[in-house]
Amino acid sequence: KALYKIGLLFLLFSVVKTLVFFFSGSGDRTLMDVDSVSSVSSISGIFTAFNNLSEIGFLLTPYILKKTKTNQKIIIYLTLIIIFLFTILTGSRSPLVHMLLFFFIGSIIFKTFNPKSIKRGSIIFLILISILLPAIDTYRNLSSFAENRSVFGRINNLVNQNLVTTSSKDNIPLVTGAALYGTMTDLFIYKDTPEVIDHAGFNNFSSILYIYLPKSFFPNTPSTYDGQKIAQEYLPNKLRSFASISFDTDLYRRFSWIGVSIGNFIWGLFYGFISLILFKNFYKKPSSFSLLSIFCLYSFYLQPQTVLNQFWVWLYNFPKFLIILYFICMSFNNRKIFGNSDRLDL
């Protein structure tokens, strides 16, 4: 029951976040910038600070459906449709992919649907992604998209524009591939390093010392959230939206090919060690918290992470969410986190 209630809470968080992002304009791709989203003082920043709860919520949604009475499932599906629709209306693609992907993974984990349905779902997922990603890219670059931010205006633009055929056929594979991979910047970095721009080495590593200082109060401190800045340095054109670079590319940018090998070796050992601890804890004491800890572990790595992003994730963000999940589980289990009352029945 605790996991079911927590899933509903996170799903509620997701729909409220999506609606706030749309109606405030803070999630609109014509207005959004890194400073507004990364600042907790902004309305979008408050939700962005806890964004991984949405990902965990989508993982839990199939479990909610599995435990919900048939006549009540319509409410869950309507909630998902609202999130889906308003995410498209903001012109965002990544949250849409995350939602579909996590729901699909959650369906496999909790065995919500039979194997045949899951196979069909995987085919539908691939078809949806191949159509939606280039279509949304075309949609959000229309002049009418920027001029009309009302719900009905955006829906009218979406319905009346033949987005799939309007998208250049030559650009469809590029746009889809780049959106799924998460970045188009890597190519430029491999091309220009070190011939045009020298290897960065340990540049900006001092920002790690400022991880725990809130940007709202110390806005001028160095930031480990450096993907956008690095991308703009290498890209020939001014960015219209968010960008980042992959972990391997940042290792190469900093330390050349030897850095890619050594960095991945160290990273693999660390990530494997953390995963081993969490999975051992789950199999030893299967509880809501131990399961959500594993979900939390995997909710960070859909977007590209730079080297400094990794320090931010593991020194700040991951511990933050573990603490949040611990107290949420405690509140739903009458403070018996690891007791018999919280043992899972999946």
Side-chain angles (χ1 to χ4, degrees):
K1 288 184 178 180
L3 193 64
Y4 180 85
K5 293 177 181 177
I6 292 170
L8 288 176
L9 175 66
F10 291 171
L11 192 59
L12 177 63
F13 171 84
S14 298
V15 71
V16 172
K17 180 196 75 172
T18 303
L19 293 175
V20 167
F21 271 36
F22 178 81
F23 287 107
S24 68
S26 54
D28 196 297
R29 293 306 299 258
T30 61
L31 304 173
M32 196 163 53
D33 61 79
V34 175
D35 293 331
S36 68
V37 172
S38 61
S39 171
V40 178
S41 61
S42 69
I43 189 167
S44 62
I46 296 172
F47 284 94
T48 302
F50 304 101
N51 189 56
N52 292 85
L53 298 181
S54 289
E55 268 77 7
I56 297 173
F58 294 137
L59 276 168
L60 290 174
T61 301
Y63 178 76
I64 297 172
L65 289 169
K66 186 177 180 179
K67 299 295 182 179
T68 300
K69 294 179 180 179
T70 304
N71 60 345
Q72 297 175 344
K73 288 182 180 181
I74 185 65
I75 300 174
I76 307 300
Y77 284 119
L78 283 174
T79 302
L80 292 173
I81 290 171
I82 290 171
I83 296 172
F84 187 86
L85 174 62
F86 279 89
T87 300
I88 290 178
L89 294 182
T90 63
S92 298
R93 295 178 303 179
S94 294
L96 205 63
V97 175
H98 297 177
M99 174 187 174
L100 294 171
L101 184 60
F102 274 123
F103 181 85
F104 178 69
I105 294 173
S107 300
I108 297 173
I109 292 173
F110 295 112
K111 300 178 181 178
T112 307
F113 307 105
N114 61 55
K116 287 186 178 180
S117 297
I118 291 176
K119 287 180 181 179
R120 294 193 200 101
S122 63
I123 296 172
I124 293 172
F125 171 75
L126 292 173
I127 294 173
L128 275 175
I129 291 302
S130 63
I131 294 173
L132 284 173
L133 292 183
I136 292 174
D137 186 67
T138 301
Y139 165 64
R140 67 186 184 183
N141 288 310
L142 296 171
S143 59
S144 55
F145 174 83
E147 293 166 359
N148 196 332
R149 290 179 48 232
S150 68
V151 177
F152 295 108
R154 288 282 172 87
I155 292 176
N156 183 60
N157 289 334
L158 192 63
V159 172
N160 291 333
Q161 294 288 337
N162 195 344
L163 299 176
V164 178
T165 56
T166 304
S167 302
S168 171
K169 291 182 179 179
D170 294 334
N171 287 336
I172 287 177
L174 176 65
V175 170
T176 305
L180 291 176
Y181 179 63
T183 174
M184 294 178 65
T185 316
D186 289 6
L187 169 67
F188 295 96
I189 293 177
Y190 286 120
K191 182 172 71 73
D192 292 342
T193 308
E195 286 78 8
V196 179
I197 302 176
D198 199 11
H199 291 291
F202 291 95
N203 180 46
N204 198 34
F205 260 59
S206 60
S207 61
I208 297 171
L209 301 174
Y210 301 92
I211 283 177
Y212 299 105
L213 295 180
K215 283 290 181 182
S216 299
F217 301 105
F218 304 94
N220 297 321
T221 55
S223 175
T224 55
Y225 197 85
D226 59 346
Q228 182 87 0
K229 182 180 178 181
I230 295 169
Q232 186 61 78
E233 183 182 357
Y234 284 84
L235 287 174
N237 302 315
K238 183 174 176 59
L239 288 166
R240 295 180 305 177
S241 59
F242 288 107
S244 187
I245 65 174
S246 67
F247 179 63
D248 285 347
T249 304
D250 197 27
L251 284 172
Y252 172 76
R253 184 186 74 91
R254 291 180 177 277
F255 309 113
S256 190
W257 294 113
I258 188 66
V260 177
S261 301
I262 296 175
N264 274 286
F265 178 75
I266 296 172
W267 161 238
L269 288 177
F270 174 77
Y271 193 78
F273 177 71
I274 297 296
S275 300
L276 184 64
I277 292 175
L278 294 180
F279 274 96
K280 275 190 172 181
N281 182 52
F282 173 75
Y283 286 116
K284 186 178 180 181
K285 298 177 181 177
S287 64
S288 298
F289 177 69
S290 61
L291 178 65
L292 293 178
S293 299
I294 295 173
F295 283 1
C296 182
L297 176 69
Y298 294 111
S299 68
F300 290 110
Y301 289 101
L302 285 180
Q303 294 288 2
Q305 303 279 356
T306 66
V307 172
L308 291 180
N309 284 161
Q310 298 286 358
F311 282 96
W312 178 76
V313 165
W314 292 105
L315 293 178
Y316 173 76
N317 216 28
F318 186 65
K320 177 188 76 176
F321 276 100
L322 284 185
I323 293 171
I324 291 171
L325 292 173
Y326 179 86
F327 282 104
I328 289 175
C329 291
M330 184 172 66
S331 65
F332 280 100
N333 284 289
N334 298 320
R335 302 187 179 183
K336 294 180 181 180
I337 295 296
F338 304 109
N340 292 330
S341 64
D342 190 35
R343 292 190 67 84
L344 292 178
D345 178 20
L346 302 180

